[in-house]
Amino acid sequence: MAYGAHSPFPPPHPDLGLARDCAQCLGWGTVVTRDGDHELCRTCQPDQGDGESGLRSAS
Ligand SMILES: [Zn+2]
């Protein structure tokens, strides 16, 4: 149980090298959705897979 956190999720970590010349996110690598959430820019950031279940099969 954590108190005092405004956002339940940490911001995504974009690859700024890829975002540098992106006109969609203006170099930030993230875009703000209409809900006010930050998400990776789909124009310049590689797809990191959808659905973060937090579970990963150990290989
Ligand atoms: Zn971008």
Side-chain angles (χ1 to χ4, degrees), residues 18-31 40-45:
L18 296 174
R20 195 169 196 168
D21 297 323
C22 182
Q24 185 72 25
C25 60
L26 303 179
W28 286 97
T30 57
V31 293
L40 287 176
C41 175
R42 297 188 182 187
T43 301
C44 66
Q45 300 301 308

